[in-house]
């Protein structure tokens, strides 16, 4: 009887340890994070962001939609895009793995709230992830 209790206890502990282990399905889901698409169909404008962690940032750390006005986002995005593009055009000076593409963001076009919100938050995410500053007064707040 004592041996049977020990076997059952050992089996239970084994099941418990197995159940607490990480699941390969969960690890695959993290590695296959869906890209974030920033688009305005009426303008035929689209940016696809494939930077691991941005989805998590957008859903947990970023201020919710509506927190900033569109004018605020546009003003910050103009500064961020300008500095980003300077770096993208100088791959010998800046990491071309980060600044892969120039962003065509024109201040006279109304891209809408969603595009400006996601673009702004990508810049916030990138500054935090890559420990850089793109301007607009965010050097101290993002760390």
């Amino acid at each position: 009887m004592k041996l049977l209790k020990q076997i059952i206890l050992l089996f239970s502990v084994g099941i418990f340890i197995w159940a607490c282990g990480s699941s390969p399905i969960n690890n695959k889901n993290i590695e296959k994070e869906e890209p974030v698409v920033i688009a305005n169909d009426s303008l035929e404008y689209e940016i696809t962001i494939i930077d691991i962690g941005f989805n998590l940032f957008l859903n947990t750390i970023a201020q919710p939609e509506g927190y900033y006005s569109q004018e605020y986002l546009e003003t910050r995005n103009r500064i961020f895009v300008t500095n980003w593009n300077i770096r993208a055009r100088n791959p010998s000076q800046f990491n071309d793995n980060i600044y892969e593409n120039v962003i065509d963001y024109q201040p006279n076009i109304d891209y809408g709230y969603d595009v400006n919100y996601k673009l702004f938050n990508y810049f916030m995410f990138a500054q935090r992830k890559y420990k850089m500053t793109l301007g607009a007064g965010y050097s101290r707040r993002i760390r």
Side-chain angles (χ1 to χ4, degrees):
M1 190 66 144
K2 195 173 197 177
L3 180 60
L4 182 61
K5 285 183 182 180
Q6 288 176 339
I7 291 173
I8 291 173
L9 179 62
L10 185 60
F11 182 73
S12 298
V13 170
I15 295 288
F16 178 75
I17 291 171
W18 176 78
C20 290
S22 64
S23 167
I25 294 170
N26 289 339
N27 290 339
K28 287 179 184 175
N29 287 342
I30 290 170
E31 293 170 7
K32 293 182 180 181
E33 180 174 316
E34 291 294 318
V36 173
V37 177
I38 302 172
N40 183 322
D41 295 335
S42 64
L43 297 173
E44 297 179 12
Y45 183 87
E46 182 175 296
I47 299 173
T48 302
I49 298 175
I50 310 169
D51 200 337
I52 294 178
F54 181 54
N55 265 325
L56 181 64
F57 177 87
L58 197 57
N59 293 317
T60 60
I61 297 171
Q63 295 294 345
E65 286 189 43
Y67 183 84
Y68 303 108
S69 70
Q70 184 171 332
E71 181 182 348
Y72 177 90
L73 296 172
E74 289 169 343
T75 301
R76 292 333 179 254
N77 284 341
R78 280 192 288 276
I79 296 167
F80 290 148
V81 167
T82 300
N83 290 323
W84 181 276
N85 287 344
I86 289 168
R87 294 173 187 196
R89 290 184 179 111
N90 292 295
S92 62
Q93 217 175 353
F94 297 99
N95 185 342
D96 60 349
N97 291 321
I98 297 172
Y99 308 99
E100 292 181 17
N101 299 305
V102 170
I103 300 170
D104 182 19
Y105 184 89
Q106 299 174 27
N108 58 331
I109 295 177
D110 179 4
Y111 294 101
Y113 188 87
D114 190 55
V115 168
N116 280 287
Y117 173 78
K118 288 179 181 170
L119 184 60
F120 170 82
N121 278 297
Y122 177 71
F123 288 130
M124 298 304 289
F125 165 78
Q127 289 180 98
R128 192 175 180 154
K129 181 176 180 177
Y130 300 113
K131 296 177 177 41
M132 64 173 155
T133 302
L134 290 171
Y138 284 96
S139 59
R140 285 187 227 139
R141 292 188 227 169
I142 59 172
R143 296 179 206 270

